[in-house]
Amino acid sequence: MRCVWMVCVLCLAPAVAAILCKPDVTDGYKVRLSIKTALGDDAYEWSKSELFLFRAVLAFAVQRKTNNVNYDVSNILVCDETERVSFWFVVTTPDNTSELLPKLVVENAIRENRHRINSAFLLTDQTLDFVGINPTLAAPIEYDTPPWLIVFGVVMGVVCAGIVALLVSTFLQKKRAKKPSADPVDDEDGSGSIAGNGILCESIGDKDGTYNQGFTDDDRFTKL
């Protein structure tokens, strides 16, 4: 009896999948994988084993989201698979394989476990695309010091440096203006003049010389 039940399930599974999983179905999702773009020469071939891994990872994500309700690969139905590695999938409930899991539950399960799904296939959010399901945005980076305060400090530092430079420049200019310039050598009090050999004429006149009678103009010495 048990063997008959298993055979019935295996025979009905493809038929159920064909009914529930269709392109553009309301509760279905399209997946596109760009393996060659992501891995280049190290790209692997997409195969039935890779598809099984996808169904297993997705069942894991949904099971985590639904508080460990027993999901397995049989609850992940895949259809419309193409050679360019794209396909559609739907998720059924464990209690009733003909009932689809609510769309919101599937989307949240994928978002919350996106990094686990990506790492299983060595892909990223850009090369493993769940069409219509945007990845969860990363938490904003929190800085110890607000960025605006850093910018304000830099601006104030530049302004203060400019003010100091201006004050120093003004002080140096005033100091140069007050410094006396070197004047040419001259007799400032007008008491005497400078001879050609640099000796004051007045100083020469003040000195007592020897009186030479040979050069006198007195008539007494010129008469015979």
Side-chain angles (χ1 to χ4, degrees), residues 143-157:
Y143 299 94
D144 295 336
T145 304
W148 67 266
L149 186 58
I150 296 175
V151 175
F152 178 77
V154 172
V155 173
M156 290 302 298

Side-chain angles (χ1 to χ4, degrees), residues 7-148:
V7 171
C8 292
V9 170
L10 293 175
C11 293
L12 291 175
V16 172
I19 295 172
L20 296 178
C21 183
K22 296 179 181 179
D24 299 321
V25 68
T26 303
D27 293 322
Y29 300 93
K30 185 177 183 179
V31 180
R32 289 192 295 241
L33 294 89
S34 303
I35 303 173
K36 186 70 175 178
T37 301
L39 303 177
D41 295 336
D42 296 329
Y44 52 84
E45 294 293 332
W46 186 257
S47 62
K48 292 185 181 294
S49 298
E50 300 293 339
L51 183 60
F52 180 84
L53 177 60
F54 174 84
R55 295 171 65 191
V57 172
L58 198 60
F60 159 79
V62 175
Q63 182 166 317
R64 285 190 63 188
K65 180 61 181 176
T66 55
N67 297 322
N68 295 323
V69 176
N70 293 325
Y71 283 88
D72 55 36
V73 292
S74 64
N75 298 113
I76 313 299
L77 307 180
V78 177
C79 61
D80 199 36
E81 187 176 1
T82 65
E83 293 183 358
R84 299 185 65 179
V85 195
S86 67
F87 51 85
W88 286 77
F89 76 91
V90 293
V91 182
T92 62
T93 60
D95 298 333
N96 186 358
T97 55
S98 62
E99 181 182 353
L100 297 180
L101 194 66
K103 196 169 185 177
L104 184 61
V105 177
V106 178
E107 291 180 0
N108 289 335
I110 293 173
R111 287 194 182 98
E112 293 176 8
N113 297 276
R114 190 64 184 268
H115 64 291
R116 301 291 294 273
I117 300 172
N118 291 345
S119 61
F121 300 97
L122 307 178
L123 301 177
T124 64
D125 292 343
Q126 289 71 37
T127 52
L128 176 53
D129 182 20
F130 288 85
V131 179
I133 303 179
N134 297 323
T136 303
L137 297 177
I141 301 174
E142 295 183 358
Y143 299 94
D144 295 336
T145 304
W148 67 266

